[in-house]
Amino acid sequence: MILYTFPVRTAFIDRDLEMIRPVAEIKPLEFTQSPIKLPFYFILQFFQLLWFLPRTSQYLCFFGGYHSVLPVWFGKVFGKKCTIQAGGTDCINMPEIGYGNFRKKWLRNATVYSFKNCSLILPVAEALVKQDYFYDPKINLKQGLVNLIPDLKTPIEVIPNGFDTDFWRDLGKERKPFSFISVATGASNPSRAIVKGYDLIEKLASIHPNWTFTLVGDSEYFSLNPNVQVLGKMHPKELQELYNSHQFYLQLSTSEGFPNALGEAMSCGCIPIGSAVGAIPEIVGDSGVILKEKNLDLLESEIQDFTNQDLNHFSEAASKRIQQLFNYGKRKKALLKALDLVS
């Protein structure tokens, strides 16, 4: 049995479970993101790991952090494989915007211990391994695991996210011109809003009152711009419909690993406009716009230049790119092989 630990359950976790369950028994164990609950969850997790120990064949963690410390320790002590999927915040140090595990002493220690002592690291993007960061000039240049843990010797294999392109597809519906959508959870937290690029989206909305913007994922988020519609979390079918009614998808994150919503939206035919961080340039390729620097004037001119071209071509190109390069089957095959679940 595989024990799968993570700080919060997401669609990404559910997709992993769906990939692994047909070939191996897997038990999800959710941890906590609440600092107050940490001591209780450490005790709870210790007894959970002890209880399942006789049946456990290996450990799998999503993100490195507090929740991965005990699985890594159990793996070392009892000679069981422990794999950590690095997702983003666990490979970043950006105190300037209040983001990244490495900006907090104890969380940094937990993250470093986990990555140095696990059996294998599976980042979702090459940029999480090592990157020179230029997007926001006030943020430290050196990011990624190799830069932040110089003596890291754990084997690393990059496995990008994969998408169900049979579900996330272009339905051929009419899209409202100059309609923009972005999806992020927790954006009512000001720091999180900056991480996800909502500050830049709000500025863009304020100078283009005739353009429409839809921000999905946190109903508590508040916008002063009348052309910005805020929606809470949505079911996949509702999200599929929303993607298909919008012309552009905005992923103007200040930091990112491999954004799921960007892949879903592109697969549905949204034209991507993304920042030059994490895996975003790799995902977008030549099917959309990549903003090299966090600058409103630059964003404005990039969009204006881009919209003079054949947008239908870019919509089709975005959808095809996800189908060909980031499909569900490709990730499943690589993940199962990395976990020694296929011969």
Side-chain angles (χ1 to χ4, degrees), residues 130-190:
K130 188 179 184 181
Q131 65 171 305
D132 289 335
Y133 181 93
F134 298 106
Y135 179 65
D136 188 336
K138 73 172 183 286
I139 288 171
N140 184 27
L141 178 73
K142 297 296 180 184
Q143 301 292 338
L145 287 174
V146 174
N147 284 328
L148 297 171
I149 314 173
D151 57 344
L152 183 67
K153 293 184 173 64
T154 311
I156 298 173
E157 181 188 343
V158 177
I159 301 180
N161 289 350
F163 302 92
D164 179 358
T165 54
D166 290 333
F167 178 79
W168 302 109
R169 60 192 173 90
D170 189 342
L171 301 174
K173 296 189 174 184
E174 193 175 334
R175 298 171 190 266
K176 186 178 179 183
F178 291 99
S179 56
F180 301 79
I181 184 169
S182 192
V183 177
T185 56
S188 53
N189 176 320

Side-chain angles (χ1 to χ4, degrees), residues 14-73:
D14 290 334
R15 200 155 65 239
D16 276 355
L17 293 170
E18 191 182 288
M19 289 177 181
I20 295 167
R21 274 188 176 134
V23 296
E25 186 184 356
I26 183 164
K27 173 77 177 172
L29 292 178
E30 190 167 350
F31 202 68
T32 183
Q33 289 185 301
S34 165
I36 298 164
K37 294 177 182 174
L38 262 181
F40 168 75
Y41 268 86
F42 271 122
I43 295 165
L44 173 65
Q45 190 189 51
F46 178 82
F47 284 107
Q48 285 175 325
L49 296 178
L50 205 56
W51 175 260
F52 289 114
L53 183 61
R55 292 171 54 206
T56 302
S57 57
Q58 61 176 300
Y59 300 98
L60 178 62
C61 310
F62 188 62
F63 292 125
Y66 292 129
H67 65 288
S68 59
V69 169
L70 285 175
V72 167
W73 185 82

Side-chain angles (χ1 to χ4, degrees), residues 63-64 87-93 99-103 107 128 255 257:
F63 292 125
T89 182
D90 48 351
C91 309
I92 297 296
N93 182 28
Y99 185 68
N101 286 18
F102 286 81
R103 78 189 197 280
L107 182 54
L128 298 179
S255 178

Side-chain angles (χ1 to χ4, degrees), residues 205-250:
S206 69
I207 58 173
H208 289 285
N210 296 329
W211 295 2
T212 58
F213 298 80
T214 307
L215 304 181
V216 182
D218 188 345
S219 57
E220 300 296 311
Y221 178 81
F222 178 74
S223 175
L224 290 168
N225 290 303
N227 55 335
V228 174
Q229 181 186 21
V230 177
L231 301 171
K233 287 184 181 178
M234 316 230 87
H235 292 295
K237 188 64 187 165
E238 295 173 306
L239 208 45
Q240 181 207 51
E241 294 286 338
L242 271 177
Y243 289 146
N244 271 275
S245 65
H246 286 74
Q247 193 172 32
F248 298 96
Y249 184 84
L250 293 171

Side-chain angles (χ1 to χ4, degrees), residues 258-280:
F258 191 115
N260 278 294
L262 172 62
E264 293 167 357
M266 284 174 62
S267 194
C268 289
C270 289
I271 301 165
I273 299 171
S275 52
V277 304
I280 295 173

Side-chain angles (χ1 to χ4, degrees), residues 116-136:
K116 286 176 80 170
N117 292 282
C118 68
S119 316
L120 177 66
I121 304 170
L122 302 178
V124 294
E126 195 67 52
L128 298 179
V129 181
K130 188 179 184 181
Q131 65 171 305
D132 289 335
Y133 181 93
F134 298 106
Y135 179 65
D136 188 336

